Amino acid sequence: MAVRRRFNCSPEQVFAVLHDGWTYPVWVVGASRMRDVDPGWPAPGTKLHHSFGMWPLLIDDTTEAIEIEPGQRLVLEARGWPVGKARVEITVNAAANGSLVSIAEDVTDGPGQLVPQPVRVAGIDVRNRETLRRLAYLAEGRT
């Protein structure tokens, strides 16, 4: 299931944030710091090297760009061991005076798959609502 939000900015402004890998921990709930961004991000195969959790319990991991349709869609494989891996699809569509942005996410590998789907989806949806709120603040605030 996807979480959606209307943004008061253009799809280009949304993708300007998505292209800036260094902003990842600002808008992604759970990501706490960036360690590196591969050159060419978000071309398929490039990675964001980040940490998640709270200090001092931080885990270093990566998120890889899998597919991109510039200005419209970005598919990521987010790693967060020991929880597992997730496929995250962000879509951006032009809407009247703004954009409609959605995030669809689910666990694809690891112990997180053991959580019953209704419980897992409910938790992911809450997290992604806040993620979209943060992404909107960044995209709408850019000039």
Side-chain angles (χ1 to χ4, degrees), residues 30-48:
S32 56
R33 67 178 175 202
M34 288 302 300
R35 300 184 332 273
D36 196 15
V37 176
D38 284 358
W41 171 263
T46 59
K47 293 181 180 179
L48 299 175

Side-chain angles (χ1 to χ4, degrees), residues 2 10 12 15 19 21 24 27-28 46 50 52 54 61 64 70 78 82 96 100 122 125 127 133:
S10 70
E12 293 78 19
F15 262 81
H19 279 196
Y24 188 77
W27 59 272
V28 174
T46 59
H50 57 82
F52 70 94
M54 289 187 347
D61 229 320
E64 181 176 350
L100 183 60
D125 283 358
R127 177 177 165 271
R133 187 172 74 89

Side-chain angles (χ1 to χ4, degrees), residues 93-120:
N93 294 299
N97 298 318
S99 304
L100 183 60
V101 182
S102 67
I103 298 181
E105 177 180 356
D106 201 3
V107 176
T108 58
D109 190 22
Q113 288 183 309
L114 299 174
V115 176
Q117 187 179 22
V119 174
R120 188 173 70 230

Side-chain angles (χ1 to χ4, degrees), residues 6-113:
R6 188 182 181 295
F7 286 29
N8 293 316
C9 62
S10 70
E12 293 78 19
Q13 288 170 290
V14 177
F15 262 81
V17 176
L18 298 177
H19 279 196
D20 183 354
W22 290 101
T23 66
Y24 188 77
V26 176
W27 59 272
V28 174
V29 174
S32 56
R33 67 178 175 202
M34 288 302 300
R35 300 184 332 273
D36 196 15
V37 176
D38 284 358
W41 171 263
T46 59
K47 293 181 180 179
L48 299 175
H49 304 266
H50 57 82
S51 303
F52 70 94
M54 289 187 347
W55 187 89
L57 303 174
L58 291 171
I59 297 174
D60 292 344
D61 229 320
T62 61
T63 293
E64 181 176 350
I66 304 299
E67 298 174 38
I68 186 167
E69 294 173 39
Q72 298 176 21
R73 183 171 161 266
L74 178 61
V75 179
L76 306 170
E77 179 182 79
R79 295 171 173 265
W81 287 100
V83 177
K85 290 190 233 177
R87 181 182 189 275
V88 181
E89 183 173 347
I90 302 169
T91 58
V92 182
N93 294 299
N97 298 318
S99 304
L100 183 60
V101 182
S102 67
I103 298 181
E105 177 180 356
D106 201 3
V107 176
T108 58
D109 190 22
Q113 288 183 309

